[in-house]
Amino acid sequence: MSKSVFNPVNQQTSTSSKIVVGLERIAEAFKVLLWEKAKQLGISPIQIQILTFSAYHKQELCTVSYLAKEFNVTKPTISDAIKVLHQKKMIRKDYSNSDSRSYSIILTAVGQAIISETKNLGEPLQKTIDTVDKTELDAMFSTLSKLIYQLNRNGILTVQRTCFGCSFYDKKESKDYCNLLNKTLVSTDIRLDCPEFIEK
């Protein structure tokens, strides 16, 4: 117990412990914003996340299996959330031609209206981040993108769509390079959620 990163005594001598606790506080801030919006709209936080993900990602990613991996929850949890969204006419199910049990979800007009209500969900965090000096912000993003990739490699994050794990990503003369865009990538060009991502 004394070696825990959450022990304030350990934090005084360990920068990495302070960062872990800092990330936990930021995650808590996002959770608070999500819960507040969920209460306003009368749906659950996971339902907001499903709608938001489906609004901005390819339809083939909007399946029960993929959403369960994306949000690190069980398939039954996603299925239950989708069932409610379907009952509230926020989504419709598009069944596969090859497997009648498999489907992806598509937002209805009601679902799109909910998305318009949630589009500013991350704004308080973004406004705070925007006050940070650009040089510090670029360095922070560079570290964050590498950390996310490493967490995926360690099996903690099951899904990531960042450049480092993409088949188009390469190193040319020790520089990050995208073979799809045919360009060298500076640290701020690295994407955390790339629409063209194809896993290595």
Side-chain angles (χ1 to χ4, degrees):
M1 184 171 148
S2 62
K3 292 183 179 178
S4 170
V5 296
F6 298 105
N7 184 336
V9 175
N10 293 335
Q11 292 169 28
Q12 303 320 309
T13 56
S14 170
T15 302
S16 61
S17 291
K18 289 178 187 175
I19 289 170
V20 169
V21 172
L23 290 171
E24 190 263 343
R25 298 311 298 154
I26 290 168
E28 189 66 28
F30 185 77
K31 194 163 74 173
V32 166
L33 294 170
L34 193 56
W35 268 107
E36 284 177 0
K37 188 59 74 174
K39 281 187 280 187
Q40 288 172 20
L41 298 172
I43 58 178
S44 71
I46 190 66
Q47 288 163 355
I48 289 179
Q49 289 177 296
I50 290 169
L51 289 173
T52 302
F53 184 89
S54 302
Y56 301 112
H57 292 85
K58 295 183 280 193
Q59 190 180 336
E60 56 261 37
L61 300 183
C62 302
T63 64
V64 171
S65 295
Y66 195 90
L67 291 166
K69 285 184 201 169
E70 177 72 20
F71 298 115
N72 291 297
V73 295
T74 64
K75 288 182 187 178
T77 298
I78 294 293
S79 294
D80 288 347
I82 286 175
K83 184 178 177 183
V84 174
L85 293 172
H86 192 253
Q87 287 169 348
K88 292 189 174 190
K89 303 191 183 328
M90 294 179 185
I91 57 111
R92 67 181 176 84
K93 297 176 181 179
D94 186 29
Y95 285 91
S96 165
N97 291 329
S98 57
D99 181 359
S100 61
R101 295 167 302 167
S102 179
Y103 61 85
S104 57
I105 63 170
I106 300 171
L107 268 60
T108 62
V110 177
Q112 292 288 355
I114 292 291
I115 288 302
S116 69
E117 294 282 325
T118 61
K119 64 183 176 188
N120 63 350
L121 179 66
E123 220 169 75
L125 288 173
Q126 187 171 17
K127 281 182 179 175
T128 304
I129 291 166
D130 283 341
T131 64
V132 177
D133 174 77
K134 186 181 183 314
T135 305
E136 287 182 51
L137 212 54
D138 290 351
M140 188 191 304
F141 176 73
S142 178
T143 302
L144 194 61
S145 58
K146 288 171 186 166
L147 182 60
I148 288 168
Y149 178 63
Q150 205 54 55
L151 288 170
N152 172 254
R153 302 304 295 162
N154 293 343
I156 296 167
L157 287 176
T158 51
V159 173
Q160 58 81 37
R161 290 175 296 279
T162 183
C163 296
F164 301 125
C166 182
S167 60
F168 294 119
Y169 174 80
D170 206 352
K171 276 277 190 189
K172 289 197 176 177
E173 297 172 10
S174 299
K175 293 181 179 175
D176 300 318
Y177 189 86
C178 177
N179 288 306
L180 179 65
L181 301 176
N182 292 317
K183 65 177 268 191
T184 299
L185 306 171
V186 296
S187 62
T188 50
D189 288 330
I190 298 295
R191 298 176 181 181
L192 296 185
D193 190 2
C194 180
E196 286 82 36
F197 175 83
I198 298 175
E199 193 169 359
K200 279 182 186 174

